[in-house]
């Protein structure tokens, strides 16, 4: 029998973080694979390793640092997750999404979520940035919804609406910032799979036919939890590799991390611009 994370456990972590900082973050930012560099730009930063926090899962993936960085970016108080926790590491969905619950109990109203993703849209190239306009909850469709178990009524309803997972106003803001900075911003649907194996050519043809433009191993559970608590969400995917629909190339974690070097400056510009516009 799976045990579920209680409000008391979430609050213990939220209080622990609050006791170490003197600002109230207004945006939570989750950095994906290869995008960790962004946290180095945070001013007046307080660093809290996940391993310092009670009952907090620790990321085991190469390329993920594993700490909160709290400070200012573009004059806005932010809480950044440098490294996230994935379902494929063996954690429960509750643990994977615990950081978002902590943001909610800290009173953070908005979240910017980033990830590395495979480009399923035929025109997407490695190094592109995609604004996530909607998501395919393939993990949830196979029984892995992070909201399973007792509902946390203090945070949100048993059956939350999911008609606007990604905030339309934030999407418009990001489009404007990309334009101002001469960044080509792709747009599309992110499909969330559990991983850790990459997709077979047949998986990828299935995903394309189902309406996916990008595919990855994160984000969807975190966004469901964020929306359960009515947080407003902006999502950005860094396209690290092209989907291999005919099996002619292979995908490696190294190329995912390498593409992050091209993608990070673009994502950073967009996030900075969006923060200024909030
Ligand atoms: N598939 C799934 N997840 C990913 C990929 C991919 O091709 N690239 C980066 N994360």
């Amino acid at each position: 029998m799976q045990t579920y994370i209680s409000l008391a456990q979430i609050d213990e972590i939220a209080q622990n973080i609050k006791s170490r900082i003197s600002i109230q973050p207004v945006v939570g930012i989750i950095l994906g694979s290869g995008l960790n560099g962004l946290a180095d730009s945070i001013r007046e930063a307080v660093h809290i390793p996940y391993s310092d926090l009670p009952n907090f899962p620790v990321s085991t993936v190469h390329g993920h640092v594993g700490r909160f960085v709290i400070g200012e970016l573009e004059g806005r108080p932010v809480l950044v997750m440098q490294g996230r926790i994935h379902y494929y590491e063996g954690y429960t969905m509750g643990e994977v999404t615990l950081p978002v619950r902590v943001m909610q109990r800290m009173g953070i109203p908005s979240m910017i979520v980033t990830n590395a993703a495979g480009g399923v849209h035929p025109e997407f190239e490695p190094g592109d940035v995609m604004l996530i306009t909607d998501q395919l909850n393939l993990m949830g469709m196979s029984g892995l919804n992070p909201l399973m178990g007792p509902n946390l009524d203090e945070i949100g309803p048993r059956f939350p609406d999911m008609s606007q997972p990604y905030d339309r106003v934030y999407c418009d803001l990001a489009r404007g910032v990309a334009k101002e900075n001469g960044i080509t911003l792709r747009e599309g649907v992110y499909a969330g799979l559990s991983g850790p194996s990459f997709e077979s050519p047949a998986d990828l043809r299935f995903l394309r036919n189902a309406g996916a433009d990008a595919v990855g191993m994160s984000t969807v559970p975190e966004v469901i939890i964020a929306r359960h608590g009515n947080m407003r969400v902006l999502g950005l995917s860094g396209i690290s590799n092209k989907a291999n629909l005919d099996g002619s190339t292979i995908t490696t974690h190294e190329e995912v991390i390498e593409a992050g070097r091209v993608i990070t400056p673009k994502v950073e510009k967009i996030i900075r611009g969006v923060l200024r516009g909030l």
Side-chain angles (χ1 to χ4, degrees):
M1 173 68 191
Q2 189 180 344
T3 54
Y4 296 96
I5 290 166
S6 67
L7 208 56
Q9 285 172 301
I10 300 165
D11 284 345
E12 190 185 351
I13 299 166
Q15 287 310 322
N16 188 310
I17 297 174
K18 279 194 154 188
S19 72
R20 301 174 192 224
I21 59 177
S22 54
I23 56 171
Q24 168 62 44
V26 293
V27 182
I29 304 176
I30 303 180
L31 298 179
S33 301
L35 300 173
N36 284 318
L38 207 93
D40 300 334
S41 316
I42 306 295
R43 299 164 71 113
E44 311 280 332
V46 172
H47 298 97
I48 307 178
Y50 301 154
S51 56
D52 272 15
L53 294 166
N55 302 314
F56 204 87
V58 177
S59 174
T60 59
V61 189
H62 170 69
H64 282 257
V65 180
R67 63 183 182 183
F68 284 110
V69 183
I70 301 131
E72 289 200 353
L73 193 60
E74 293 297 323
R76 300 274 188 270
V78 295
L79 172 137
V80 178
M81 282 190 76
Q82 203 175 21
R84 61 145 62 80
I85 293 99
H86 303 82
Y87 185 70
Y88 62 72
E89 293 175 71
Y91 291 111
T92 64
M93 276 290 169
E95 288 169 317
V96 167
T97 54
L98 177 60
V100 184
R101 287 297 192 211
V102 170
M103 289 178 197
Q104 288 168 333
R105 296 299 280 180
M106 288 177 67
I108 300 176
S110 300
M111 180 171 89
I112 300 177
V113 61
T114 68
N115 57 56
V120 179
H121 190 293
E123 287 172 15
F124 289 5
E125 295 294 336
D128 280 349
V129 177
M130 184 188 91
L131 175 70
I132 309 176
T133 54
D134 204 345
Q135 66 184 22
L136 265 171
N137 179 17
L138 293 167
M139 296 187 237
M141 289 179 200
S142 54
L144 289 174
N145 194 299
L147 290 170
M148 281 168 59
N151 185 53
L152 297 178
D153 296 325
E154 296 84 350
I155 298 182
R158 172 77 287 188
F159 301 106
D161 173 68
M162 212 49 65
S163 60
Q164 199 182 141
Y166 297 89
D167 190 90
R168 291 192 191 131
V169 175
Y170 287 4
C171 284
D172 274 344
L173 249 173
R175 289 182 186 108
V177 173
K179 203 166 174 201
E180 277 164 29
N181 286 278
I183 297 168
T184 304
L185 187 60
R186 308 291 197 170
E187 294 195 11
V189 174
Y190 175 93
L193 275 64
S194 70
S197 50
F198 289 114
E199 300 71 37
S200 70
D203 287 332
L204 290 164
R205 287 192 296 271
F206 167 84
L207 292 171
R208 185 67 194 140
N209 284 331
D213 298 294
V215 58
M217 306 173 191
S218 67
T219 302
V220 168
E222 293 149 337
V223 172
I224 290 171
I225 292 296
R227 293 300 301 141
H228 179 244
N230 217 19
M231 292 175 93
R232 297 176 68 181
V233 179
L234 175 74
L236 296 167
S237 285
I239 304 299
S240 51
N241 53 285
K242 243 176 129 72
N244 170 27
L245 277 81
D246 62 3
S248 60
T249 58
I250 64 162
T251 304
T252 66
H253 185 59
E254 285 64 37
E255 75 182 306
V256 173
I257 300 298
E258 183 56 37
R261 289 188 234 288
V262 182
I263 292 163
T264 300
K266 296 195 234 181
V267 169
E268 175 163 353
K269 277 205 184 104
I270 295 171
I271 290 180
R272 282 179 179 277
V274 167
L275 287 175
R276 274 198 303 274
L278 287 182

